[in-house]
């Protein structure tokens, strides 16, 4: 199919600005490119940048076109969001949904020769505030611009509890003209049928005109299969697609050609993976399971939640997304959840998840609010769902579709029965009806979290997926997680500050205080910085510097999420998934992310690589604070020191190894030790009997444990029997030595959460923020060029 592109240079006019820039793009991307706007992420620039959008903006482009057909269609794949579109002075389109593509017949308005197209965007903030004044509806977040739910725009652009208020506008995807008289492939539907190791494919192409259709399927090793349109073809020796950690991500290329009079007039190519991917929900002794089953294998979902990568969409691209998703795979993810307050990701995102082996748990784009339910809203949502899921339904990675983020658990409290009726109509009838027409093979749940649907007890821990926030919101002990046995925990989190280098890039030196104006502007959870400090003080000595506050906040975050994941992995079978909130950031901010907005790992991301190891050893300890919260509790003298060691095996093979443990003093002496052979069957967990250390000195002694397979340590860890702030660390006299791409760390005593950093802040290492015994540890540099290496540990907090 031939397209006449209308991308490229546009004139932009609005407010005090008149300039030009590139489309796809936006007001902000063009003003930034022309140095007419301050960096919205720097210090407190957000407010002045937000106010730019109080003006109307017009994008215009003049172009020459030679008419060769009677029917010409304008295609706009993405307009953000409210706009009127004019062609040669004629209004041809009003757009009001960022998540759909628009197709308009412009034959009567397109001239043979010179033409001009204009996109006129009114001030969005005033528009949504007027709608909200006319019809106020309940919502769940205080960090957004009022009225955000009244427009089908990515909600996060109007603010969230981790993101700025930057209501950009523009043409965010391709714009082009196509001739309606030419032969086009309008749709390609690919269905798979698996039966006892045999696989049949059915590829059906729909075209706008009668023609011959040629279909070829090419295997990962280059073997070709020819298929007839709409008829089954058997794939000999099928090579299955597996998520990360379970096998190869084999992809078949499906090539479709539309041919008329011997000429290829249009083509369509899709990469698919041969697999079955079910959401298993079966009654059991605890309630009902909720787990992914890939090719007949029930797997434990390990990953995090994904939010949009930037507020300025023109800055996102395939390479940037690839780096982020590879960082996920590096941390042993097999699953990623796309949160419902952003936008439906690009084809690049899903293609990369196919290639990297990440199962996608995908919210439809609704979050934390009621909506003005009705016929007009329903009509645009039907179109939105059909547009997006027709585009992405063939992807191997797509594991489950959720109707929304957190609206069902919010709807429980609505007093307006009409709102509840509207909710049920949209998320339990309209959307699933459309999905059943276009992709019934993909599992659907009405909301995340949801237990039974029907606005019925959506937070029931024994059914469906859960979001659990009490540890963060109420500063509860990390051990609180051990009171819960969620079937699939798809949101839980703990905040920390971004890396020090990132903070330096959006602040001035005088801003680097947790309570400064700038640091509080880069914190969107009300009272969030105070909460970080309060929680930090529960576990660690109060840090001696701002830099150490940043470091320690990340330790608390990492340890919190580790506590939850290890507990739930130890209960594999009952629990079958943990997706922590969140993997990435949209701007530099104190948040729940494990990777900050500049792509730098926090301590949590390194910890995730460890707690998501396919073969992982963990310890459930009993210590000084197991039964109490405060040291002044009279029961402080009644503590015990015990440990039960577990080994998870989330691989497809049985494993036999040896658990070794050592009770050690802080200066490196071994006080007690033991070892036990432990076989762990595939996709299971095993443990040793609980070990009693007879009230060992909790201030001076710690436990080291490891699991060895064929003599090699595959997983290890340490635990304290008291809080780190009450442990008598001694100076480990850490030092580092660089040899090519390898860093050697030497410690003269037990060192906890060893951080290796440098002046660039851009090192990615094979391990970091790790515990180490007295001795040496070697670390590989994965990327970056070290400059001025530094090393610290918990000892240095004081």
């Amino acid at each position: 199919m031939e397209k006449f592109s209308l991308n490229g240079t546009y004139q932009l006019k609005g407010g005090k600005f008149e300039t030009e820039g590139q489309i796809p793009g936006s007001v902000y991307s063009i003003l930034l490119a022309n140095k007419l706007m301050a960096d919205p992420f720097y210090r407190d620039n957000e407010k002045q940048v937000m106010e730019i959008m109080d003006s109307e903006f017009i994008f215009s482009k003049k172009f020459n076109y030679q008419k060769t057909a009677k029917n010409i269609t304008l295609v706009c794949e993405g307009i953000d969001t409210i706009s009127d579109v004019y062609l040669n002075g004629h209004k041809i389109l009003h757009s009001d949904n960022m998540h759909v593509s628009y197709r308009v017949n412009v034959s009567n308005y397109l001239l043979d020769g010179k033409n001009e197209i204009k996109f006129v965007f009114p001030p969005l903030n005033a528009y949504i505030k007027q709608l909200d004044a006319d019809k106020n509806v309940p919502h769940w977040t205080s960090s957004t611009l009022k009225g955000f739910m009244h427009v089908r725009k990515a909600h996060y652009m109007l603010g969230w509890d981790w993101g700025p208020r930057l209501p950009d506008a523009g043409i965010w995807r391709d714009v082009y003209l196509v001739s309606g008289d030419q032969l086009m492939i309008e749709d390609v539907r690919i269905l798979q049928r698996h039966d006892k190791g045999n696989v049949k494919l059915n590829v059906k192409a729909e075209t706008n005109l009668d023609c011959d259709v040629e279909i070829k399927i090419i295997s990962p090793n280059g073997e070709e299969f020819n298929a007839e349109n709409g008829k089954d073809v058997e794939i000999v020796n099928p090579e299955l697609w597996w998520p990360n950690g379970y096998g190869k991500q084999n992809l078949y290329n499906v090539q479709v050609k539309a041919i008329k009079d011997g000429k290829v007039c249009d083509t369509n190519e899709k990469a698919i993976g041969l697999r079955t991917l079910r959401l298993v929900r079966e009654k059991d002794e605890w309630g009902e399971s909720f787990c992914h089953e890939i090719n007949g294998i029930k797997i434990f979902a390990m990953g995090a939640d994904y939010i949009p990568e930037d507020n300025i969409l023109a800055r996102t691209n395939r390479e940037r997304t690839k780096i982020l998703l590879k960082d996920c795979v590096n941390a042993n993810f097999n699953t990623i959840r796309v949160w419902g307050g952003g936008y439906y990701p690009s084809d690049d995102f899903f293609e990369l998840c196919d290639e990297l082996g990440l199962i996608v748990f995908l919210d439809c784009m609704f979050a934390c609010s009621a909506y003005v339910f009705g016929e007009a809203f329903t009509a645009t949502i039907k179109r939105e769902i059909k547009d997006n899921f027709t585009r992405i339904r063939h992807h191997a990675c797509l594991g489950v579709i959720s109707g929304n983020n957190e609206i069902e658990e919010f709807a429980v409290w609505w007093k307006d029965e009409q709102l509840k009726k509207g909710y049920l109509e949209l998320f339990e009838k309209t959307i699933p009806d459309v999905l059943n027409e276009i992709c019934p093979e993909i599992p659907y749940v009405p909301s995340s979290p949801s237990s039974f649907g029907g606005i019925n007890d959506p937070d029931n821990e024994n059914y469906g997926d859960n979001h659990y926030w009490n540890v963060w919101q109420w500063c509860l002990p990390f051990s609180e997680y051990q009171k819960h046995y969620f079937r699939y925990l798809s949101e839980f989190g703990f905040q920390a500050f971004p890396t020090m280098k990132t903070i330096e890039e959006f602040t001035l030196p005088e801003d680097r205080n947790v309570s400064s104006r700038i640091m509080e502007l880069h914190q969107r959870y009300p009272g969030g910085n105070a909460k970080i400090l309060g929680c930090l003080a529960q576990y660690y000595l109060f840090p001696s510097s701002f830099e150490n506050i940043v470091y320690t906040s990340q330790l608390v975050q990492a340890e919190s999420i580790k506590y939850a994941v290890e507990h739930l992995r130890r209960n594999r079978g009952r629990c079958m998934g943990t997706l922590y909130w969140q993997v990435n950031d949209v701007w530099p901010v104190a948040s729940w992310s494990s990777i900050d907005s500049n792509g730098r790992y926090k301590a949590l991301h390194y910890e995730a690589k460890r707690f998501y190891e396919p073969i992982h050893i963990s310890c459930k300890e009993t210590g000084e604070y197991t039964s109490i919260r405060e040291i002044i509790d009279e029961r402080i003298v009644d503590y015990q020191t015990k440990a039960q060691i577990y080994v998870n095996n989330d691989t497809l093979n049985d494993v036999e190894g040896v658990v070794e443990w050592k009770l050690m003093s802080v200066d490196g002496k071994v006080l007690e030790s033991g070892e036990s052979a432990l076989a762990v069957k595939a996709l299971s967990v095993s443990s040793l009997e609980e070990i009693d250390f007879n009230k060992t000195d909790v201030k001076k002694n710690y436990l080291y444990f490891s699991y060895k397979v064929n003599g090699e340590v595959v997983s290890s860890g340490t635990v304290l029997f008291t809080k780190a702030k009450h442990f008598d660390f001694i100076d480990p006299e850490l030092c580092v030595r660089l040899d090519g791409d390898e860093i050697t760390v030497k410690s003269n005593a037990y060192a906890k959460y060893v951080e290796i950093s440098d002046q660039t802040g851009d090192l990615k290492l094979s391990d970091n923020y790790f515990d180490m015994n007295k001795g040496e540890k070697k670390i590989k540099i994965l990327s970056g060029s070290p400059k001025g290496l530094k090393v610290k540990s918990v000892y240095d907090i004081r």
Side-chain angles (χ1 to χ4, degrees), residues 137-144 148-149 155 159-161 367-371 404-414 447-449 458-459 467 469 473 491 525-526:
V137 294
H139 60 90
W140 193 315
T141 175
S142 61
S143 303
T144 61
F148 74 92
M149 75 294 293
H155 292 339
W160 215 259
D161 57 7
C368 301
S369 179
Y371 295 86
N404 65 74
N405 174 76
E406 293 185 346
I407 303 177
E408 185 182 348
E409 66 174 358
F410 184 36
V412 169
W413 304 101
W414 293 347
S447 184
S448 178
D459 293 316
H467 296 184
W469 284 101
Q473 289 176 339
E491 265 196 35
Y525 185 90

Side-chain angles (χ1 to χ4, degrees), residues 506-788:
F506 75 81
T507 62
L508 293 173
E510 57 264 34
D511 302 327
R512 293 166 200 159
N513 183 296
V514 170
S515 298
S516 75
R517 180 182 184 87
I518 301 305
M519 289 302 295
E520 290 196 344
L521 282 170
H522 287 255
Q523 162 64 270
R524 291 311 167 101
Y525 185 90
N529 286 357
K531 189 180 290 290
I532 290 173
L533 294 183
C535 294
L536 179 157
Q538 289 187 32
Y539 296 96
Y540 290 92
L541 295 175
F542 202 82
S544 58
S545 66
F546 177 74
E547 184 173 348
N548 277 343
I549 288 175
V550 171
Y551 164 71
T552 312
S553 78
Q554 293 189 18
L555 307 189
V556 177
Q557 179 192 37
E559 199 162 348
S560 170
I561 304 307
K562 174 187 176 181
Y563 231 89
V565 171
E566 289 189 335
H567 162 65
L568 294 169
R569 285 192 71 183
R570 289 196 289 262
N571 287 277
R572 191 192 195 284
R574 185 173 184 178
C575 175
M576 289 300 287
T578 55
L579 308 178
Y580 65 80
W581 182 269
Q582 67 216 59
V583 66
N584 63 311
D585 271 328
V586 74
W587 78 315
V589 66
S591 83
W592 299 270
S593 72
S594 61
I595 302 176
D596 73 23
S597 61
N598 289 341
R600 298 181 175 117
Y601 290 9
K602 297 183 188 177
L604 172 56
H605 207 73
Y606 286 103
E607 192 69 81
K609 184 178 182 180
R610 293 189 289 268
F611 62 59
Y612 280 150
E613 291 168 328
I615 299 173
H616 180 66
I617 192 168
S618 67
C619 176
K620 183 179 180 182
E621 77 282 3
T622 300
E624 197 172 32
Y625 285 90
T626 299
S627 301
I628 64 171
R629 290 189 65 176
E630 301 294 339
I631 197 168
I632 57 175
D633 192 306
E634 64 179 352
R635 293 172 295 167
I636 190 71
V637 297
D638 298 329
Y639 70 88
Q640 296 178 310
T641 54
K642 297 181 178 180
Q644 187 167 10
I645 296 172
Y646 294 76
V647 176
N648 281 85
N649 178 14
D650 277 284
T651 74
L652 298 179
N653 300 306
D654 297 347
V655 63
E656 293 187 2
V658 175
V659 173
E660 293 186 354
W661 59 264
K662 298 175 184 177
L663 183 68
M664 302 182 72
S665 62
V666 67
D667 60 359
K669 295 184 179 69
V670 177
L671 308 176
E672 294 182 48
S673 65
E675 65 176 52
S676 300
L678 187 65
V680 191
K681 291 191 176 297
L683 307 171
S684 73
V685 58
S686 297
S687 68
L688 302 183
E689 293 295 319
E690 188 175 53
I691 308 166
D692 190 342
F693 295 105
N694 300 310
K695 214 168 185 179
T696 191
D697 188 340
V698 299
K699 294 185 293 182
K700 298 184 183 301
N701 302 333
Y702 71 99
L703 179 66
Y704 167 80
F705 46 90
S706 67
Y707 189 59
K708 288 184 175 179
V709 178
N710 297 324
E712 295 290 328
V713 174
V714 297
S715 182
S716 65
T718 74
V719 293
L720 304 178
F721 295 103
T722 187
K723 294 181 178 180
K725 66 181 179 180
H726 294 155
F727 188 80
D728 293 339
F729 290 100
I730 62 175
D731 187 354
E733 301 174 340
L734 294 170
C735 61
V736 291
R737 183 176 70 252
L738 179 63
D739 183 12
D741 66 349
E742 187 173 81
I743 298 170
T744 300
V745 184
K746 182 180 179 181
S747 178
N748 288 329
Y750 173 52
K752 190 163 186 63
Y753 283 124
V754 175
E755 177 201 64
I756 303 169
S757 62
D758 80 330
Q759 295 172 12
T760 71
D762 293 324
L763 289 181
K764 289 182 181 178
L765 306 175
S766 60
D767 199 7
N768 207 352
Y769 300 94
F770 49 82
D771 299 348
M772 66 179 293
N773 300 324
K774 181 179 179 179
E776 291 189 347
K777 183 178 175 72
K778 296 186 183 299
I779 304 296
K780 286 289 187 182
I781 298 171
L782 304 181
S783 67
S785 299
K787 183 179 180 182

Side-chain angles (χ1 to χ4, degrees), residues 6 57 163 172 246 256 261 374 390 403 423 481 512 521 548 617 645 693 724:
L6 292 177
F57 278 89
W172 70 294
Y246 293 93
V256 180
D261 299 328
T390 298
Y423 170 89
Y481 284 115
R512 293 166 200 159
L521 282 170
N548 277 343
I617 192 168
I645 296 172
F693 295 105

